[in-house]
Amino acid sequence: MNDLLNLAMKAHGGLERWKQVRNMQAKVTLNGTLWRIKGRPDGLSGVVMRLNTKQPDLTITPFPKPGTAGHFTPSRVWIEDANGTVVSELKNPRDSFAGAVLTTKWNELQELYFASYAFWNYFTAPFLLAQPVVEVEEIETHNEDGETWRQLSVIFPPEIPTHSARQTFYFNDKGLLQRLDYATDVAGGVAAHYCFDHVTFDGIVVPTFRRVVPRKPEGPIVHGPTAVLIVIQRCFAELRSRLQRASGSRLSVAGKQSKDEPKPQINSRPI
């Protein structure tokens, strides 16, 4: 196995622990300029996301309003009411983005598809990168803000729904994910995605504060608008044997503890 990927998986809880996790659940808030550009200015506030860690399968509750829930698989997204009745659906959802550019508006089912596949990737990385169908290669180191990060170049196969086939993951000397770069094929953008405030939940380490900014060939635009701001709270891991409540203390990358849950504010935290 690739040495950097092995280090990253160990830093995020270890592959053996990950194999024990059947589902994950977390309270998530996200907003930012991308959501406003796409005509969804409210973003998602305090929704509960529950995902299958072994295959792309995620539910968002409530979505898009109280009393309804959004469901995602790669071939279909749909919304159910409180009685489990399907009120709307979209089959082969990725096809609906054909020809889209950054300013193309989303309907609620497209928003559901984007948020769901994106967060399925975010919650399963870096373990997702160990799949045999994913190509990984360590490339040259990267210096940023006085730190040296190791880079992992990744190529995803078509069967994994993700932002783009080619992505770059950046890890610090401990193996913790610091940044990932990708093009958002369905959104029409190019992004740098920064990760902060790594917290241990049931043995799995999750970056709980994430900031996505536009990226140009010369580098990320870190002092401009925030495309997406993500806060993850109260994460749970459902193990094979039982559902255990997450009890890990909040730890930042630097190892500081914080009892307060962060409140998402655009541009609230510099890089």
Side-chain angles (χ1 to χ4, degrees):
M1 181 178 293
N2 180 281
D3 288 342
L4 177 53
L5 178 56
N6 190 47
L7 174 66
M9 289 193 295
K10 287 181 179 178
H12 289 84
L15 184 57
E16 291 307 310
R17 181 63 170 177
W18 180 251
K19 289 178 179 178
Q20 299 174 21
V21 179
R22 183 174 55 190
N23 299 294
M24 293 190 71
Q25 179 175 304
K27 182 179 179 181
V28 176
T29 293
L30 67 151
N31 53 30
T33 58
L34 177 64
W35 252 249
R36 293 195 288 274
I37 290 170
K38 294 301 183 181
R40 318 298 297 178
D42 294 336
L44 299 177
S45 180
V47 299
V48 174
M49 293 188 179
R50 186 173 186 272
L51 67 141
N52 183 323
T53 61
K54 309 309 177 189
Q55 60 186 10
D57 182 349
L58 186 145
T59 298
I60 302 177
T61 309
F63 184 92
K65 60 184 180 180
T68 59
H71 300 270
F72 155 82
T73 65
S75 61
R76 176 177 176 244
V77 290
W78 68 100
I79 296 171
E80 293 181 355
D81 64 18
N83 297 318
T85 301
V86 176
V87 296
S88 61
E89 69 174 341
L90 179 62
K91 296 181 179 179
N92 301 316
R94 201 171 186 99
D95 293 346
S96 73
F97 295 92
V101 296
L102 182 60
T103 55
T104 302
K105 305 303 182 185
W106 288 339
N107 61 39
E108 61 189 21
L109 290 168
Q110 291 175 315
E111 178 188 24
L112 173 60
Y113 175 78
F114 179 84
S116 296
Y117 87 71
F119 274 86
W120 186 80
N121 277 259
Y122 302 160
F123 278 114
T124 58
F127 307 102
L128 175 62
L129 309 184
Q131 294 292 323
V133 293
V134 179
E135 299 179 33
V136 298
E137 179 185 7
E138 184 171 2
I139 56 178
E140 70 277 2
T141 57
H142 170 77
N143 296 314
E144 184 165 338
D145 197 27
E147 298 183 2
T148 299
W149 298 338
R150 296 171 68 181
Q151 296 186 85
L152 198 63
S153 175
V154 177
I155 301 177
F156 289 99
E159 59 264 32
I160 294 181
T162 190
H163 288 308
S164 55
R166 293 182 178 271
Q167 301 184 31
T168 303
F169 289 70
Y170 301 72
F171 301 92
N172 67 11
D173 56 357
K174 296 180 180 178
L176 292 172
L177 181 62
Q178 304 296 291
R179 170 182 156 185
L180 52 155
D181 289 351
Y182 46 75
T184 49
D185 291 343
V186 302
V190 180
H193 178 142
Y194 289 88
C195 300
F196 307 91
D197 294 358
H198 295 67
V199 180
T200 301
F201 298 102
D202 293 327
I204 300 299
V205 178
V206 178
T208 60
F209 189 98
R210 311 173 74 126
R211 181 181 180 231
V212 184
V213 300
R215 177 171 52 89
K216 292 188 174 182
E218 58 269 26
I221 307 174
V222 297
H223 298 298
T226 297
V228 184
L229 191 72
I230 300 167
V231 176
I232 298 172
Q233 302 165 332
R234 296 204 296 271
C235 192
F236 301 79
E238 182 179 344
L239 307 181
R240 291 179 180 177
S241 57
R242 65 188 183 279
L243 180 65
Q244 296 180 325
R245 185 178 181 86
S247 58
S249 61
R250 287 189 53 80
L251 296 174
S252 71
V253 177
K256 298 179 181 178
Q257 295 186 355
S258 173
K259 295 180 180 179
D260 298 325
E261 292 178 336
K263 297 180 181 179
Q265 299 291 332
I266 300 301
N267 291 329
S268 66
R269 189 175 305 201
I271 298 301

